[in-house]
Amino acid sequence: MIIAVDGPAASGKGTLARRLAAHYGLHFLDTGLLYRAVAWQLLEDGRGADDEAAAVEIAARLDLESISETELRTTGIGDAASIVAANPNVRTAILDFQRRFANRNPGAVLDGRDIGTIVCPDADCKLFVTASPEVRARRRGRELRAAGNDISDDNVLADLLRRDARDQSRAVAPLRPAEDAHLLDTTNLDIEAAFRAAVAIVDGS
Ligand code: CDP
């Protein structure tokens, strides 16, 4: 079984996807981390996020194991990741890895922006998770401050909106729901309620 979970920044799709994977006994892949890792390595190498040739080279030999996840979760890396992610050659370089991961037994939950549209168009169930920008900023702000980042919800909101606009307007694999995706608005749902709603959708599809 393959479950695709897509949605805008900080919509809660990561937490939801991880819980769905545990619930159904499936593998889990946060595909955003792949783009974040390419961006992190670029900056580490002293390159700009818009250095396309270097980004493709890094993407082709990506090794997630050697990078600390905490360093990948900052807003700076998120912003750089969305610049990197607009590069079609970077996307192609990591497409096979994602598809092979999705097809491992007994199945997988992948979360990202283009799982239902490009990576796994034949997924058994597709969710598109949203929440209002203000709620997303509040949730992500809390997360970032708990991880030691000194950042206000207003700055987080500006970052999310900039990133969403970039992700929605790029020519390749833009952020959008697949035609057969189930929309799940978590604005007024806590994690538990969102999880129950997602399980009801998966079980019913
Ligand atoms: O956790 P959050 O929603 O803030 O972001 P993320 O899922 O870690 O993704 C970081 C960036 O990677 C996004 O803003 C996208 O530009 C890009 N991305 C993508 O293009 N395609 C994916 N499947 C996953 C992430």
Side-chain angles (χ1 to χ4, degrees), residues 25 29 32 93 183:
L29 180 64
L183 301 187

Side-chain angles (χ1 to χ4, degrees), residues 39-63:
W40 180 88
Q41 189 65 56
L42 262 181
L43 302 181
E44 188 74 2
D45 293 349
R47 312 273 185 168
D50 57 351
D51 187 332
E52 300 204 349
V56 174
E57 229 175 83
I58 291 168
R61 52 175 174 76
L62 194 60
D63 173 20

Side-chain angles (χ1 to χ4, degrees), residues 16-36:
L16 200 56
R18 200 180 291 274
R19 287 203 53 181
L20 287 173
H23 180 76
Y24 292 106
L26 304 172
H27 300 289
F28 166 65
L29 180 64
D30 174 349
T31 64
L33 277 186
L34 304 173
Y35 295 95
R36 285 174 181 263

